[in-house]
Amino acid sequence: MANSPDPAGPFEFFAIADSGINAFALPGGFVGVYSGLLLTAQSESELASVLSHEIAHVTQRHLARMIAAQQRVGLASMAALAVAILAARSNSQVSAAAIAAAQAGAIQSQLNFTREHEREADRIGLQIMVKSGFDVHAMPVFFERLQKATRVYESGAPSYLRTHPLTFERIADIQSRIQDIPFRQVPDSLEFQLVRARLSAQEGNAREVVANFDRMIDARKFGTEAAARYGLVVALLRVGDKERARKEMALLQGLKVKSPMIDALGAQTLIAGGEVEKGLAFYRDALRANPNRKALVYGYVDALIAANRTADAVQFLDGRMDGRPADPQLYEFQARAYSALGKPFLQHRALAEVYALRGNLPAAIEQLQIAQKAGDGDFYQKSSVEARLKELMAVDAENRRKP
Ligand SMILES: [Zn+2]
């Protein structure tokens, strides 16, 4: 993004938990990546080649131009889709994510990029990759792999190549552009490897996944030992083998590889094994080093609420609510905590923000009205809800006037 023609442009990247092999860009700089595509990428440069291509579609305003030319897909439905995708991104419920993905596919299928758009996105995408220090030769390699993988999935599911038509000519064009650029060995970041390990640990039969990671580690056939061991612990927690998860976690920590993802898994492993206080303390230590890392923030609050430490959860969340953060997950935790504390006014006020951030204003307004009738809440809180209600109703009325 920083190396794109529009570094200041608003970009919002998100992942969709779906084994389909797909990625897409929407107007407004929304770039979605399916977990299936992440798993198909054999290197970070391969993933970067798709992301650079998508970024280029956004900076070159291909979608906006296409929509202007194509009346069937109105801007309104694109905006609705963006909201649905945003909701899915922050929603833990897979079904909502699946619906948004299906909607994305439906709209996407009407938005086939032209050859000219594809060529331009490849050209700009390659420039972004060079500036970012990735191996440009990963682009044709990955596109060819996508072509092979997508053939298997021709079942009507949205696929990357349906919207980004890949021709022999296009691959040849990419190859001729990069022929003078030398190959470069770009090691994958630890984060990329950990994310891939986590995704593969979550796919398919859990016991087979454990066996796969065991084999990989025994044969030392891995990119990074830490990532392989990390995947093994995720898989062990998935099958409920808490005892072995603990032992393997100790081996992983023995490698002395620093990562908030490994820290979060360490805390999770302790808590799963019944050592709740130790796990919470582990989270607190990790949060001191990485205070804004979502895996740690969400994991910690979730663990506090699960351990009936609700007042601590509320206090921790309060420290993060300055300036009304655009993170519905935080409000969802807040609503859960207030519900456990028997504070319906605050519970519904928090739920209203969950809905508002997910683009469902009528539901947000309803929650504020329920809060008003709840009977608790002090004078200051009640007037703040009244003000927020007026604000949301005005936005809602404005939205309804739009075509
Ligand atoms: Zn494309």
Side-chain angles (χ1 to χ4, degrees), residues 21 33 68 70 111 123 139 141 150 181 190 208 243 262 282 285 336 342 402:
I21 300 171
V33 183
Q70 197 175 354
L111 293 175
R123 182 172 58 82
M139 190 185 263
V141 173
T150 315
I181 305 174
L190 177 66
E208 278 170 28
E243 200 40 53
I262 296 175
F282 200 90
D285 280 344
R336 259 173 68 196
K402 284 178 193 156

Side-chain angles (χ1 to χ4, degrees), residues 271 276 280 283 298-309 336:
I271 291 167
V276 177
L280 291 173
Y283 267 127
Y298 296 168
Y300 182 54
V301 185
D302 197 35
L304 281 174
I305 297 173
N308 285 323
R309 299 266 300 269
R336 259 173 68 196

Side-chain angles (χ1 to χ4, degrees), residues 25-290:
L26 297 170
F30 295 99
V31 178
V33 183
Y34 282 43
S35 49
L37 185 114
L38 271 158
L39 275 173
T40 309
Q42 301 292 310
S43 72
E44 201 168 17
S45 287
E46 291 192 0
L47 176 63
S49 66
V50 163
L51 287 178
S52 305
H53 178 99
E54 295 304 318
I55 288 172
H57 276 313
V58 175
T59 64
Q60 307 315 111
R61 301 186 44 80
H62 291 160
L63 279 151
R65 282 194 249 155
M66 196 189 313
I67 290 161
Q70 197 175 354
Q71 289 303 315
R72 297 191 278 160
V73 184
L75 259 178
S77 66
M78 291 306 287
L81 173 69
V83 167
I85 300 266
L86 271 179
R89 181 198 56 168
S90 50
N91 199 319
S92 50
Q93 285 167 343
V94 178
S95 57
I99 293 165
Q103 274 178 299
I107 293 191
Q108 209 193 348
S109 66
Q110 302 178 43
L111 293 175
N112 290 313
F113 288 109
T114 63
R115 278 181 186 199
E116 288 68 39
H117 286 168
E118 287 311 300
R119 201 173 304 135
E120 190 178 33
D122 289 339
R123 182 172 58 82
I124 307 270
L126 284 170
Q127 288 168 4
I128 295 172
M129 283 186 78
V130 170
K131 280 195 200 165
S132 310
F134 286 108
D135 177 21
V136 288
H137 296 273
M139 190 185 263
V141 173
F142 193 40
F143 284 174
E144 276 177 338
R145 176 160 328 112
L146 286 175
Q147 197 171 33
K148 283 194 191 103
T150 315
R151 241 177 253 147
V152 185
Y153 286 94
E154 282 304 333
S155 54
S159 81
Y160 188 71
L161 297 175
R162 186 155 299 162
T163 45
H164 304 265
L166 186 63
T167 55
F168 174 75
E169 189 192 348
R170 197 181 138 201
I171 298 246
D173 199 33
I174 297 172
Q175 275 161 346
S176 76
R177 277 183 204 287
I178 61 176
Q179 61 185 356
D180 296 330
I181 305 174
F183 278 95
R184 43 184 306 172
Q185 280 278 349
V186 184
D188 294 335
S189 69
L190 177 66
E191 302 259 282
F192 175 77
Q193 298 191 49
L194 290 175
V195 168
R196 275 194 93 239
R198 179 169 204 95
L199 290 175
S200 38
Q202 284 165 340
E203 275 225 336
N205 179 290
R207 297 205 171 275
E208 278 170 28
V209 173
V210 170
N212 282 344
F213 275 110
D214 275 336
R215 268 197 298 275
M216 204 191 292
I217 291 166
D218 283 345
R220 301 196 66 79
K221 275 189 129 179
F222 39 63
T224 303
E225 183 171 0
R229 294 200 176 277
Y230 174 88
L232 176 60
V233 176
V234 173
L236 286 168
L237 287 179
R238 212 181 129 200
V239 294
D241 193 344
K242 295 161 195 169
E243 200 40 53
R244 225 197 122 199
R246 226 174 65 135
K247 285 180 193 149
E248 293 295 339
M249 192 66 220
L251 290 174
L252 169 56
Q253 284 161 338
L255 299 173
K256 305 273 176 213
V257 174
K258 283 248 167 275
S259 157
M261 284 180 73
I262 296 175
D263 287 343
L265 188 63
Q268 230 181 307
T269 308
L270 284 168
I271 291 167
E275 294 183 277
V276 177
E277 285 309 316
K278 259 193 184 175
L280 291 173
F282 200 90
Y283 267 127
R284 280 192 292 273
D285 280 344
L287 277 163
R288 262 191 287 279
N290 291 285

